[in-house]
Amino acid sequence: MQQSSCKMNKNETVYTPIIKKIQEMRYDWSNYVSNGGASSYEEYRETCGKIEATKQIEEEIKTIEKRFIED
Protein backbone atom coordinates (compact mmCIF):
# COMPACT_ATOMS: atom_id res chain seq x y z
CA MET A 1 0.00 0.00 0.00
CA GLN A 2 1.33 3.43 -0.97
CA GLN A 3 1.37 6.16 1.66
CA SER A 4 0.57 9.74 0.77
CA SER A 5 3.13 12.38 1.56
CA CYS A 6 1.91 15.17 3.83
CA LYS A 7 5.12 17.10 4.18
CA MET A 8 4.93 20.83 4.75
CA ASN A 9 7.50 23.33 3.60
CA LYS A 10 9.25 25.48 6.17
CA ASN A 11 6.99 28.44 5.43
CA GLU A 12 3.75 26.44 5.58
CA THR A 13 1.42 25.99 8.52
CA VAL A 14 -1.62 23.83 9.08
CA TYR A 15 -3.59 26.75 7.64
CA THR A 16 -1.78 26.72 4.28
CA PRO A 17 -3.87 24.00 2.60
CA ILE A 18 -7.07 25.70 3.73
CA ILE A 19 -5.94 29.05 2.35
CA LYS A 20 -4.87 27.41 -0.92
CA LYS A 21 -8.28 25.73 -1.31
CA ILE A 22 -10.08 29.02 -0.68
CA GLN A 23 -7.88 30.73 -3.27
CA GLU A 24 -8.60 27.96 -5.80
CA MET A 25 -12.34 28.35 -5.24
CA ARG A 26 -12.13 32.12 -5.69
CA TYR A 27 -10.02 31.70 -8.83
CA ASP A 28 -12.55 29.26 -10.31
CA TRP A 29 -15.51 31.53 -9.53
CA SER A 30 -13.67 34.56 -10.91
CA ASN A 31 -12.91 32.72 -14.14
CA TYR A 32 -16.52 31.56 -14.35
CA VAL A 33 -17.82 35.12 -14.08
CA SER A 34 -15.20 36.71 -16.32
CA ASN A 35 -15.86 34.13 -19.05
CA GLY A 36 -19.57 34.89 -19.08
CA GLY A 37 -20.63 31.74 -17.23
CA ALA A 38 -23.41 33.39 -15.26
CA SER A 39 -26.69 32.94 -17.12
CA SER A 40 -28.49 35.70 -15.23
CA TYR A 41 -27.78 38.82 -13.23
CA GLU A 42 -28.90 36.94 -10.11
CA GLU A 43 -26.34 34.19 -10.73
CA TYR A 44 -23.68 36.83 -11.43
CA ARG A 45 -24.43 38.59 -8.12
CA GLU A 46 -24.45 35.29 -6.22
CA THR A 47 -21.08 34.30 -7.64
CA CYS A 48 -19.63 37.74 -6.88
CA GLY A 49 -20.90 37.30 -3.31
CA LYS A 50 -19.04 34.00 -3.06
CA ILE A 51 -15.87 35.67 -4.32
CA GLU A 52 -16.17 38.43 -1.74
CA ALA A 53 -16.95 35.94 1.04
CA THR A 54 -13.85 33.88 0.25
CA LYS A 55 -11.72 37.03 0.42
CA GLN A 56 -13.06 37.78 3.89
CA ILE A 57 -12.67 34.18 5.06
CA GLU A 58 -9.09 34.07 3.79
CA GLU A 59 -8.22 37.26 5.64
CA GLU A 60 -9.77 35.91 8.86
CA ILE A 61 -7.78 32.68 8.57
CA LYS A 62 -4.58 34.63 7.94
CA THR A 63 -5.28 36.73 11.05
CA ILE A 64 -5.82 33.58 13.11
CA GLU A 65 -2.69 32.03 11.62
CA LYS A 66 -0.65 35.10 12.53
CA ARG A 67 -1.94 35.04 16.12
CA PHE A 68 -1.18 31.32 16.34
CA ILE A 69 2.40 31.83 15.15
CA GLU A 70 3.01 34.79 17.48
CA ASP A 71 1.75 32.97 20.58
Side-chain angles (χ1 to χ4, degrees):
M1 182 173 4
Q2 187 178 14
Q3 293 181 349
S4 63
S5 175
C6 293
K7 294 180 182 178
M8 289 193 300
N9 293 333
K10 257 185 167 178
N11 298 330
E12 291 185 341
T13 69
V14 295
Y15 299 98
T16 303
I18 298 167
I19 293 169
K20 285 181 181 179
K21 181 60 179 176
I22 290 168
Q23 291 169 339
E24 287 173 15
M25 293 168 66
R26 186 169 56 249
Y27 177 81
D28 290 345
W29 285 325
S30 296
N31 280 338
Y32 176 76
V33 168
S34 65
N35 290 320
S39 59
S40 66
Y41 184 66
E42 182 179 300
E43 185 180 1
Y44 168 82
R45 298 258 318 173
E46 181 181 325
T47 307
C48 289
K50 291 176 182 179
I51 294 167
E52 185 59 34
T54 56
K55 287 180 187 178
Q56 293 175 8
I57 292 167
E58 182 181 347
E59 289 306 313
E60 286 297 320
I61 292 171
K62 286 180 177 179
T63 300
I64 294 166
E65 178 182 42
K66 184 178 178 183
R67 274 190 255 143
F68 178 77
I69 291 169
E70 290 174 353
D71 285 348

